[in-house]
Structure formats: structure tokens, C-alpha cells
Amino acid sequence: MLREFCNSKIEEMKIFSGTSNQPLAENIAKNLGLQLSGLEVFVFPDGEKRIRILDKVLDENVIVVQSTSSPTDENYMQLFFIIDALKRSGTKSITAVIPYFGYQRQDHVFRFGEAVSVKVIAKILESLGINKLIAVDLHSTKIEEAFNIPVIHLSALSIFAKFIKDRFEKKSATLVSPDMGGVRRIKILSEMLNNMPYAVIEKNRDLATGFVSAEKITGKIGKKAIVVDDMISSGGTIETATKLLKKNRIEEIYVFATHPVFSNQAPKILQESEVEKIYVTDTIFVPKEKRFPKLEILSVAELIAESIKSA
Ligand code: R5P
């Protein structure tokens, strides 16, 4: 099955999009020289959805794009129904492109009695019959391990590296990981940037309240700090890191984070923080009301399209 998919021509593929991030799906399709295929999402008065494939997909290799960001459960259910509808319509193979993979943070049992959400999602997707998963900046390698099918794990770090190279390299900047969990990420980015120096903040999060605190930085930081993270959710991590960096007399702080989850008051917190600029990607669609002047969005469409082309 995988060989057949590998040998298929891009122009013979079909690409479908769920409703969570249609602009990105359209951009991926454009980069592939394709147009989005037809899909009907009918909403019943009680909120239940009926999914119907409007194009012929019999014996075709198909791509489905759906970010499973908030509302996570709803976006997952929609994806599940799209995959089921495609399967019933006789597709040859299905590649699920999940640019932001919801529930990825619960990748193991942190405290006795918890569910491992990632494993549950992996089981459902595999049992529905997807052949391959493409995702961007997964929280940990445990997510890939939860699957038995091929997982293409892309990273926005190459996009960030190019951007930083163009704008920052000559200005003495230091990469900063806002927590110990991001050390691997920051080391990879540092290598991409001719060993740009890096430092790490020791962050603590209270598992019960979600409260974030940080007091220690390991490594020397120059006048400019480039904080890199996989996602911004409540904004607490960036807010705490910024306060600590300012306390340490860092003059300019820039933030690069792949996934703009932006829950609750995050946009307000980020705009009012002492950060100069926040760069995120379009793995999650940011609606107008969540955009703010300090925010700039870089696209992962080409990165995803290239990985589809070279599969
Ligand atoms: C944590 O391990 C992640 O890498 C992010 O730092 C975290 O999820 C960001 O969340 P928040 O914005 O709520 O602090």
C-alpha cells in the first residue's frame, strides 16, 4: 500500500480539508498544484455533524488536512468522520495531515490514575484505517511511538532558522529555551544557526493549578534573547520567561513558537508583555479576534507540501 502511494503522481491525488484550518489546507493544495476536493459538513440542530465526500475517490490516494486544535474534541470527531467517509468511498490510501496534533501533551501518565490521551487518539486513527500521519513539531517522540503506521514528523525549526538567519544573526542574540523540555529543540536550532549560543530556563508548573514559575537561567545571554517553544497556550510560560529575562537585564526579547494555541487571555498577556515580537506558524488558524500587533504568522504550507511531494 505504501509503495503504491509513494509511486503515485501528485496530480492524481485528492486533498480534502476539515473546517479547522481551511486557509492552510488551501495553501498546501496550492503548493501541490491541486485544489481542495469537495466535502459537505452538514450540522444538525443539536450540533451533530454529517460528513459527505462530494468527489470520486475510488482507488485514489487521498490527503486529509485537519488541525485538531480547540475545539479539540469537535475537530477530532470531524476528522474521524471524514476518514470513515473516505474509506467507505473506496480510497486506496489516506494520509492524515494534522499540523497541530491535539491531546499531545498528555503523552504519558504524569500522576497515577490519568489516561494517556495520545495513545487513545492513535488507536482510533489507526483503527479507522489511515496509512500515514504527517504532523508538525510534536511535543515529544512518545507521540510517534504511539503509532504503528509511518509518522512524518516535520519541524518549523527550519523556517525559524531561515528567518533568524536573515534578521538576527549579525546582532548578538542568544537562543533561550523556556523550560528543560525544550533543550533538544534549542540545540537543533543552534546547530542550524552555526552554533548560535543558547541558554535554558528552569521552569516549574504546578500540575494541579497550572501555575508557572521560573527563577534560574543556565547559560549566558547577550542583549537579545530569542525564546523558542513548541506552543503557546495560556501564555504563562512566555510571560514567566520574559519577566525573568528582564530581571536579568536582557534588552530585547523575541519569541518563536510553532503552535499558536492561544487559550484564554493569551493574546492580551502576550501583547502586554515586554516581548518585542512573537512569531508563530499557521498550524493553527488564528481568528481575527485573537490577532494582536506584536504577532507575526509564518506559513508551514510549503514545508508540508514538500514532504507530501517527496513521500
Ligand atoms: C510545555 O512543555 C510546552 O513546551 C509549552 O511551554 C507549554 O505548553 C506552553 O503553555 P503555556 O503557554 O500555557 O504556558
Side-chain angles (χ1 to χ4, degrees):
M1 182 68 86
L2 190 65
R3 257 178 72 91
E4 286 174 37
F5 176 75
C6 293
N7 293 338
S8 73
K9 293 187 189 126
I10 296 292
E11 60 270 22
E12 287 168 4
M13 288 183 180
K14 292 248 164 68
I15 178 164
F16 290 84
S17 175
T19 57
S20 69
N21 196 346
Q22 216 145 340
L24 175 62
E26 273 164 16
N27 206 352
I28 295 170
K30 198 169 146 208
N31 273 277
L32 292 170
L34 299 173
Q35 283 198 333
L36 291 183
S37 289
L39 179 81
E40 184 186 86
V41 181
F42 178 82
V43 186
F44 289 96
D46 63 356
E48 286 190 4
K49 317 263 182 326
R50 184 185 63 207
I51 301 290
R52 190 165 158 240
I53 306 298
L54 301 175
D55 272 85
K56 285 206 177 80
V57 290
L58 185 67
D59 288 330
E60 307 234 17
N61 294 304
V62 166
I63 299 154
V64 189
V65 183
Q66 174 83 324
S67 267
T68 47
S69 50
S70 179
T72 311
D73 299 352
E74 208 167 293
N75 286 331
Y76 263 124
M77 286 310 287
Q78 198 186 90
L79 175 64
F80 298 156
F81 293 152
I82 296 171
I83 294 166
D84 185 64
L86 287 169
K87 267 302 216 206
R88 289 173 191 281
S89 307
T91 52
K92 191 197 277 181
S93 76
I94 300 173
T95 296
V97 177
I98 310 184
Y100 173 74
F101 192 97
Y103 283 125
Q104 60 179 303
R105 277 172 288 185
Q106 189 70 26
D107 59 5
H108 66 277
V109 174
F110 292 87
R111 294 172 300 177
F112 179 76
E114 292 176 346
V116 182
S117 320
V118 166
K119 287 206 172 174
V120 175
I121 300 294
K123 269 187 206 164
I124 299 173
L125 286 171
E126 284 187 353
S127 71
L128 287 171
I130 63 163
N131 301 82
K132 191 158 63 170
L133 168 68
I134 298 180
V136 184
D137 282 331
L138 292 167
H139 191 60
S140 78
T141 51
K142 286 200 181 77
I143 300 149
E144 289 164 78
E145 289 161 12
F147 284 89
N148 295 307
I149 52 161
V151 176
I152 314 291
H153 183 185
L154 304 175
S155 176
L157 287 182
S158 56
I159 297 169
F160 294 162
K162 190 178 175 308
F163 197 87
I164 293 169
K165 217 177 246 171
D166 290 347
R167 309 225 183 161
F168 291 87
E169 206 171 25
K170 287 183 194 118
K171 307 171 187 173
S172 58
T174 307
L175 299 172
V176 177
S177 173
D179 54 34
M180 298 303 284
V183 174
R184 199 174 149 263
R185 189 177 310 123
I186 213 92
K187 279 187 181 168
I188 295 171
L189 187 58
S190 163
E191 276 171 28
M192 287 175 169
L193 292 163
N194 301 326
N195 296 320
M196 188 181 256
Y198 64 87
V200 181
I201 291 175
E202 272 180 42
K203 170 184 104 176
N204 295 306
R205 186 190 292 272
D206 185 314
L207 282 179
T209 63
F211 183 76
V212 176
S213 60
E215 268 160 31
K216 197 177 156 205
I217 305 173
T218 308
K220 206 170 163 291
I221 307 180
K223 286 181 182 160
K224 292 183 182 68
I226 299 176
V227 181
V228 184
D229 210 346
D230 58 343
M231 67 179 83
I232 302 176
S233 181
S234 66
T237 300
I238 296 304
E239 188 185 29
T240 309
T242 306
K243 282 185 181 154
L244 183 63
L245 290 167
K246 281 289 171 189
K247 215 167 118 186
N248 282 268
R249 299 179 202 287
I250 309 304
E251 287 173 14
E252 288 176 29
I253 304 166
Y254 299 86
V255 174
F256 285 78
T258 306
H259 308 297
V261 176
F262 290 172
S263 41
N264 305 330
Q265 294 299 305
K268 190 171 181 284
I269 291 171
L270 297 169
Q271 178 60 28
E272 287 173 3
S273 73
E274 290 194 77
V275 165
E276 307 290 326
K277 196 105 192 152
I278 294 166
Y279 301 93
V280 296
T281 78
D282 55 357
T283 56
I284 296 173
F285 178 71
V286 184
K288 229 179 179 176
E289 62 276 14
K290 285 194 175 183
R291 297 189 183 206
F292 47 96
K294 285 184 182 175
L295 182 72
E296 190 169 328
I297 302 172
L298 311 174
S299 185
V300 291
E302 200 184 330
L303 179 80
I304 293 175
E306 285 307 315
S307 89
I308 293 169
K309 280 185 202 163
S310 60

